[in-house]
Amino acid sequence: MANHFCLLLIITFVSFITLSSLSHGSSPLSSPNLLPRFPRYTIQNRARIKPFRGVRNEYRYETKFFSQQLDHFSFADLPKFPQRYLINSDHWLGASALAPIFLYCGNEGDIEWFATNSGFIWEIAPKFGALLVFPEHRYYGESMPYGSRDEAYKNATTLSYLTTEQALADFAVFVTDLKRNLSAEACPVVLFGGSYGGMLAAWMRLKYPHIAIGALASSAPILQFEDIVPPETFYDIASNDFKRESISCFNTIKNSWDAIIAEGQKENGLQQLTKTFHFCRVLNSTDDLSDWLDSAYSYLAMVDYPYPADFMMPLPGDPIREVCRKIDGANSDATVLDRIYAGVSVYYNYTGNIDCFELDDDPHGLDGWNWQACTEMVMPMSSSQGNSMFPADDFNYSSYKEECWNTFRVNPRPKWVTTEFGGHDIETTLKLFGSNIIFSNGLLDPWSGGSVLKNLSNSIIALVTKEGAHHLDLRPSTPEDPKWLVDQREAEIRLIQGWIETYRLEKEARISLLKRAW
């Protein structure tokens, strides 16, 4: 883990890595050693994120493109760009039935990946007679301004339109136009999103209440900004996930960081570490290995699902338990680093198909998060000495700012998110001015500490599960789903039904009133 600072989704996520100096004129997103992470995704992690193929063929959708404004907040004559979206109308009952439109707020990556990992939305569509749409987030996947990814990511000027405000405006303009084209202006829209997408869903409900009647924001850390939650929260939760499985496993991981540094300082130490951990190329530094391990442990905490899944990587059910079983069950003569390799192989090579590990791949095109983290999405994170199994590390904003300047020639705005969307005294704000938002969280998920964990009103609802992990409720149902997960999803369905029924009753009452006036 880097010693400068910590942060996904995404995701991405948790600790910051040291930036490499860039040659003049090169793309700031072309370097393998770039900045942050969010809920699920980081530059360091990108080799570990594999395309999801498990259920892709089960979902039928059309792929279309919408001509989108580059800048919604000026009247400059700027080129438009094609925003990709996926649409399925198999179960839609149509405009005359006031059938709902379910819109998933695209995250920081390829929209197909998120759509095919959001089985809950597909499964409830027949029940609601819903139209499904998955608009892609600008600057990700195939939704690239300026004609190509290279041009869009060229510099701070071309990247300046990659903001949450522009993305939310994209969704608002897109769905408004879609409803007009379908003569479905009166149909209610319900928003869905997980991780960063969940944050967007909640924020869109607050910023555009006339566009959508409600939002399911799963694993949405909207409070992970400024000083709203302690910066140690993420790493403390991740560490507790391991500690609850095995104290000795926790301690082995905690002691391994010093062992890595000690080995790396030996003559040919990096070569030996490369051999121990089966990298395809010799490590440049022990930081590369530490970041690799940090990513694995953090992701494991996020996707500690109760059944086998392959959202991030092919993993067994309760993967942290399996990791600790490998660490604790190694031969008595195994070194600390041998034990760590045995454990982390559960994450990186559970199938046993990988001969060596690479560190420089980006299969989902997630690099844009580095820009977002250096502008608006400043999510301070630290690792405490006492409670964390990760190396102690304090968030250093000065270093953070310096590295963002060196990379993009921009200064972060750490207070902008709370200015634009709120966050401080969230209970009063949402109670007075918000409605129809579900914040769903599992307490195993390290990002749950930055989300809303209690009901704030009759319609701002927190659904919290003790054993849940990162947006588990949005994933496809399985025969192995525990009862608490089934109950959580049923509660979400009831709440969404209530929103739609209330909307229809109010709409019908207004139509009846207008008829009488005629």
Side-chain angles (χ1 to χ4, degrees):
M1 187 175 64
N3 55 11
H4 282 5
F5 28 62
C6 308
L7 156 29
L8 196 206
L9 179 172
I10 215 129
I11 27 104
T12 220
F13 70 43
V14 282
S15 67
F16 287 90
I17 55 181
T18 305
L19 292 169
S20 295
S21 298
L22 298 173
S23 59
H24 180 69
S26 64
S27 169
L29 295 177
S30 62
S31 169
N33 287 326
L34 284 178
L35 202 70
R37 6 258 256 176
F38 178 62
R40 285 187 300 276
Y41 323 108
T42 85
I43 295 307
Q44 276 311 91
N45 294 357
R46 45 192 195 176
R48 278 74 80 188
I49 303 173
K50 303 299 180 184
F52 181 87
R53 299 184 176 90
V55 298
R56 177 162 298 196
N57 293 330
E58 296 181 13
Y59 302 120
R60 297 175 57 253
Y61 51 78
E62 292 183 80
T63 300
K64 297 186 176 183
F65 290 85
F66 176 72
S67 182
Q68 190 63 264
Q69 295 283 347
L70 180 60
D71 184 4
H72 295 284
F73 307 110
S74 79
F75 293 89
D77 185 18
L78 297 172
K80 293 187 175 183
F81 72 95
Q83 181 183 18
R84 181 170 56 154
Y85 66 97
L86 315 179
I87 185 167
N88 176 288
S89 59
D90 289 351
H91 304 287
W92 193 44
L93 296 180
S96 61
L98 292 183
I101 297 171
F102 288 173
L103 184 147
Y104 183 94
C105 297
N107 299 52
E108 69 286 28
D110 189 300
I111 190 58
E112 288 190 330
W113 187 33
F114 297 107
T116 55
N117 276 279
S118 300
F120 174 70
I121 306 173
W122 296 87
E123 290 168 7
I124 67 173
K127 181 180 185 68
F128 286 93
L131 176 70
L132 304 183
V133 287
F134 296 83
E136 191 165 58
H137 195 298
R138 58 171 53 204
Y139 285 81
Y140 293 103
E142 297 181 18
S143 300
M144 289 293 165
Y146 299 105
S148 71
R149 181 186 182 281
D150 288 343
E151 286 299 312
Y153 283 24
K154 189 173 183 179
N155 53 44
T157 298
T158 57
L159 280 165
S160 64
Y161 303 103
L162 173 50
T163 68
T164 55
E165 298 83 4
Q166 298 282 7
L168 292 179
D170 286 344
F171 298 152
V173 170
F174 161 75
V175 74
T176 299
D177 186 83
L178 177 69
K179 291 173 71 174
R180 184 182 302 115
N181 289 338
L182 296 173
S183 299
E185 289 92 340
C187 289
V189 175
V190 178
L191 306 170
F192 296 80
S195 197
Y196 173 50
M199 299 166 76
L200 293 174
W203 287 337
M204 186 171 177
R205 169 60 186 158
L206 295 172
K207 297 290 285 187
Y208 295 96
H210 58 292
I211 297 291
I213 66 168
L216 169 55
S218 182
S219 299
I222 63 168
L223 306 181
Q224 196 76 47
F225 297 93
E226 288 186 70
D227 57 352
I228 301 174
V229 299
E232 302 86 4
T233 300
F234 182 100
Y235 278 118
D236 281 356
I237 294 175
S239 298
N240 286 334
D241 289 350
F242 283 81
K243 184 182 288 185
R244 82 181 192 121
E245 294 293 349
S246 166
I247 293 293
S248 60
C249 175
F250 171 93
N251 287 331
T252 299
I253 295 172
K254 189 177 182 69
N255 294 331
S256 68
W257 311 106
D258 288 341
I260 290 170
I261 293 173
E263 183 66 30
Q265 290 174 342
K266 296 178 181 178
E267 185 177 0
N268 298 322
L270 291 177
Q271 289 87 337
Q272 183 58 46
L273 289 171
T274 300
K275 180 180 179 181
T276 298
F277 287 90
H278 295 170
F279 289 110
C280 300
R281 290 174 288 174
V282 177
L283 291 166
N284 292 322
S285 70
T286 56
D287 283 345
D288 290 344
L289 173 55
S290 294
D291 288 333
W292 188 72
L293 294 171
D294 173 292
S295 298
Y297 300 143
S298 300
Y299 284 141
L300 282 162
M302 292 167 60
V303 298
D304 195 19
Y305 300 141
Y307 52 75
D310 57 358
F311 175 43
M312 298 305 303
M313 301 288 272
L315 293 171
D318 300 308
I320 290 180
R321 183 173 301 165
E322 182 66 14
V323 168
C324 286
R325 189 181 71 82
K326 292 287 188 181
I327 289 175
D328 292 341
N331 294 332
S332 58
D333 60 345
T335 67
V336 168
L337 297 184
D338 289 335
R339 291 174 183 272
I340 293 298
Y341 174 72
V344 79
S345 292
V346 171
Y347 180 74
Y348 286 126
N349 195 18
Y350 182 64
T351 62
N353 295 328
I354 299 175
D355 296 324
C356 64
F357 300 108
E358 295 280 5
L359 293 174
D360 54 357
D361 187 22
D362 183 19
H364 289 298
L366 310 169
D367 282 354
W369 186 258
N370 294 297
W371 166 265
Q372 291 190 257
C374 266
T375 50
E376 300 177 306
M377 305 299 287
V378 181
M379 307 172 80
M381 292 193 173
S382 298
S383 179
S384 62
Q385 179 66 49
N387 297 325
S388 176
M389 69 182 191
F390 298 88
D393 192 27
D394 290 328
F395 179 76
N396 185 322
Y397 177 70
S398 296
S399 297
Y400 185 102
K401 180 179 178 180
E402 180 182 356
E403 295 188 18
C404 288
W405 180 258
N406 290 340
T407 305
F408 296 108
R409 288 297 186 264
V410 294
N411 289 316
R413 297 181 183 175
K415 298 182 183 296
W416 178 244
V417 162
T418 56
T419 301
E420 176 73 2
F421 301 114
H424 295 287
D425 193 15
I426 193 73
E427 183 170 357
T428 299
T429 302
L430 292 189
K431 184 176 182 179
L432 292 176
F433 304 108
S435 65
N436 292 3
I437 302 175
I438 303 168
F439 290 99
S440 63
N441 285 279
L443 296 183
L444 296 183
D445 179 13
W447 291 106
S448 65
S451 189
V452 176
L453 299 179
K454 65 177 182 178
N455 294 349
L456 302 184
S457 71
N458 291 334
S459 64
I460 303 290
I461 304 298
L463 297 178
V464 181
T465 56
K466 183 179 179 182
E467 301 295 319
H470 201 52
H471 51 67
L472 176 58
D473 55 321
L474 291 184
R475 292 188 54 72
S477 61
T478 74
E480 295 82 20
D481 286 344
K483 186 177 185 301
W484 54 261
L485 177 57
V486 174
D487 291 344
Q488 180 186 19
R489 289 175 175 148
E490 288 179 350
E492 292 170 351
I493 290 171
R494 287 194 299 270
L495 289 166
I496 294 169
Q497 281 179 322
W499 299 342
I500 294 173
E501 288 171 3
T502 299
Y503 171 84
R504 285 173 174 164
L505 288 173
E506 292 178 352
K507 183 67 69 173
E508 290 167 0
R510 175 169 287 276
I511 292 174
S512 177
L513 183 63
L514 289 174
K515 286 182 177 179
R516 288 199 298 270
W518 295 340

